[in-house]
Amino acid sequence: MNTAGRTAQTGNHGLDLMPFRGVRYVPERVGSLAAVTSPPYDVVVRPDGLLHLESADPFNIVRLILPQATDPGARNAQAAATLRHWLTEGVLAPDPKPALYIYEQRSGDMLQRGVIGALRLSEAAEGVVLPHEGVMPHVVEDRAGVMRATEANLEPLLLTYRGNGDATGATAAIERTVQSPPLLSTTTEDGYGHRLWAITDPAELEQIHADLATHQALIADGHHRWATYLRLRTEHPASASSPWDYGLVLLVDTVRYPLRVRAIHRLLNRLSLAEALAGVDGSFRVREVAGPLPHAMEALGTAAAEGNAFLLAGGTTDRYYLLDRPDPALLARTIRTDRPEPWRTLDATVLHATLLGHVWGIPEDSPADIAYIHDTQATVDKARRDGGTAVLMHPVREDVVRELAQQGVTMPRKSTSFGPKPASGLVLRTLTDD
């Protein structure tokens, strides 16, 4: 039985995706739809990327998802006041009818389509929505503060499910819908085209709902926001169904539309490259690799095909250092044995348990010591500018991620970056309207 796709035989209920009244920018009130969008909050490289987005348009969504103020309380209050102001002034407006939204992203030969809706929340033990990474409590607290104050889901999570590959069920509804003119169409500065449609027809909504009710999903991107949804649900108990029982998601059938899986890199803020290399001291093989960065990343990919490998960068020159072939005895001492072999051999496991935890003595839950950055060049640039060390990673295959998630085994935090990620700002969900 393919547990990644169907759940009916397991006794678990499946995905319960409901329409909602999407809140969207009024095109006439903003410079352009592209100028008000943003990557997800955790992909924005701060402070440079944040300042760039804030200056792109006074109504850029980043002012809601990453408000700037002196303390968390002030930030959250600012986000809530900004959302209220934009709704009052007609910068944002709710759609007239509840809908499911078909969302398309396209760049070159990459085409991704999925459906955005309000998904009923469930715990991991229920086997309906499977997390594959742990979360950091301070990030959940931060996201909870923003969502609690705004009473809104400001950006959709990215979830994947495994269809049968045919144009039936939800896929058929998606393919029919994209033949009609979209609600909006824009191209963001990264070259991706974005289109959005609304489905309000009861028969189409029921077809999508019935199909998804037979599936389970993997959280591809948004573990902290999913954990935040669950936390806020406990703060709003209700005898009947409550808007806090649902969260905004994008569901993509990766049989039909495969995602790209990239690595999330680490920036060690208080460890110089020289200190990092000295600390390794024979526990890994260390080789210098010439730049530029794409060439060094090719060398990392070659080494990663044979075993655990990492690429270090920092200092003031275009030099890179490849760490591979870890000491087996060191791995045996530092990596827990009560997990499956695929987990024990993950690069992220070896990085966190062996390099961070043992070789360098860096606490993984300390934002002052370690940052997680999606963009490879940005990680290297920041390490060189600030005197830290960039630890560049090779991506994990999606089938490994899904296999571990089905076993209830979570990977080390920030192990993967699925994409393309949905742009923030195309459709929001206010819980007071639902």
Side-chain angles (χ1 to χ4, degrees):
M1 180 178 64
N2 178 12
T3 57
R6 302 278 165 172
T7 63
Q9 298 180 52
T10 69
N12 293 324
H13 60 84
L15 300 167
D16 182 10
L17 190 71
M18 302 298 292
F20 68 103
R21 290 184 68 198
V23 172
R24 298 186 294 112
Y25 280 99
V26 177
E28 295 77 15
R29 295 300 310 275
V30 298
S32 73
L33 289 174
V36 295
T37 64
S38 164
Y41 79 97
D42 59 337
V43 182
V44 177
V45 178
R46 287 165 269 190
D48 298 350
L50 182 60
L51 294 174
H52 173 72
L53 290 165
E54 285 183 330
S55 62
D57 190 285
F59 302 119
N60 189 284
I61 191 68
V62 77
R63 297 181 185 275
L64 298 181
I65 63 175
L66 289 173
Q68 299 303 293
T70 54
D71 63 80
R75 288 196 296 270
N76 299 335
Q78 178 177 302
T82 300
L83 178 58
R84 287 194 301 269
H85 178 67
W86 290 358
L87 287 167
T88 301
E89 294 298 314
V91 176
L92 292 169
D95 284 335
K97 294 181 180 180
L100 293 178
Y101 295 85
I102 304 306
Y103 177 45
E104 176 189 279
Q105 292 169 277
R106 187 190 294 266
S107 178
D109 60 357
M110 162 60 75
L111 173 64
Q112 177 176 287
R113 289 175 178 149
V115 56
I116 295 176
L119 183 66
R120 182 180 291 276
L121 305 180
S122 60
E123 300 287 348
E126 297 176 57
V128 178
V129 176
L130 304 175
H132 69 268
E133 293 181 359
V135 298
M136 293 174 275
H138 74 277
V139 178
V140 175
E141 175 61 31
D142 175 72
R143 290 299 91 192
V146 174
M147 287 190 209
R148 190 185 295 115
T150 59
E151 296 185 295
N153 299 156
L154 300 172
E155 44 186 351
L157 285 63
L158 175 60
L159 274 60
T160 73
Y161 68 99
R162 305 286 288 175
N164 58 18
D166 299 328
T168 59
T171 299
I174 290 172
E175 300 302 326
R176 283 193 297 270
T177 301
V178 298
Q179 302 305 312
S180 60
L183 285 176
L184 64 85
S185 178
T186 189
T187 300
T188 46
E189 65 180 7
D190 58 4
Y192 271 90
H194 306 262
R195 296 199 294 172
L196 192 76
W197 296 260
I199 295 181
T200 58
D201 178 76
E204 295 275 35
L205 294 174
E206 175 54 32
Q207 179 174 337
I208 295 173
H209 186 270
D211 182 22
L212 294 178
T214 66
H215 291 278
Q216 66 179 179
L218 174 74
I219 300 176
D221 184 68
H223 284 82
H224 288 91
R225 283 167 286 167
W226 184 259
T228 302
Y229 289 167
L230 294 173
R231 172 172 174 172
L232 294 177
R233 180 179 66 169
T234 66
E235 298 177 8
H236 297 83
S239 55
S241 183
S242 160
W244 297 93
D245 292 337
Y246 295 81
L248 186 64
V249 304
L250 165 65
L251 278 161
V252 174
D253 175 1
T254 52
V255 172
R256 191 81 172 180
Y257 299 106
L259 271 66
R260 292 173 177 165
V261 187
R262 293 190 170 98
I264 301 177
H265 310 296
R266 275 63 171 162
L267 175 63
L268 309 183
N269 295 309
R270 300 197 281 199
L271 185 74
S272 71
L273 179 60
E275 293 169 325
L277 293 171
V280 172
D281 191 26
S283 56
F284 285 71
R285 183 175 70 168
V286 180
R287 292 177 288 159
E288 184 174 338
V289 178
L293 181 56
H295 175 266
M297 291 301 290
E298 288 180 7
L300 173 62
T302 300
E306 301 178 358
N308 301 119
F310 311 93
L311 191 68
L312 304 190
T316 58
T317 61
D318 193 29
R319 293 181 179 178
Y320 303 87
Y321 295 87
L322 185 64
L323 274 59
D324 64 356
R325 299 187 184 180
D327 176 9
L330 177 62
L331 297 182
R333 292 197 309 272
T334 56
I335 296 178
R336 55 192 297 178
T337 59
D338 61 343
R339 296 292 178 92
E341 185 66 14
W343 183 91
R344 291 171 49 79
T345 55
L346 288 170
D347 285 341
T349 298
V350 173
L351 172 63
H352 284 258
T354 305
L355 276 170
L356 293 178
H358 180 81
V359 173
W360 293 324
I362 295 176
E364 64 175 350
D365 57 353
S366 170
D369 287 287
I370 182 168
Y372 300 85
I373 302 178
H374 292 73
D375 184 84
T376 308
Q377 187 67 60
T379 312
V380 173
D381 291 346
K382 191 163 178 56
R384 289 177 175 159
R385 184 170 62 246
D386 299 343
T389 297
V391 183
L392 306 179
M393 310 278 288
H394 189 71
V396 184
R397 299 193 318 274
E398 181 184 357
D399 60 327
V400 174
V401 177
R402 193 174 293 274
E403 176 189 347
L404 289 171
Q406 289 167 356
Q407 297 178 50
V409 177
T410 55
M411 299 166 64
R413 60 191 59 163
K414 300 292 184 182
S415 293
T416 59
S417 176
F418 285 86
K421 304 177 190 304
S424 299
L426 296 181
V427 61
L428 291 64
R429 173 178 176 250
T430 54
L431 280 73
T432 51
D433 242 4
D434 244 20

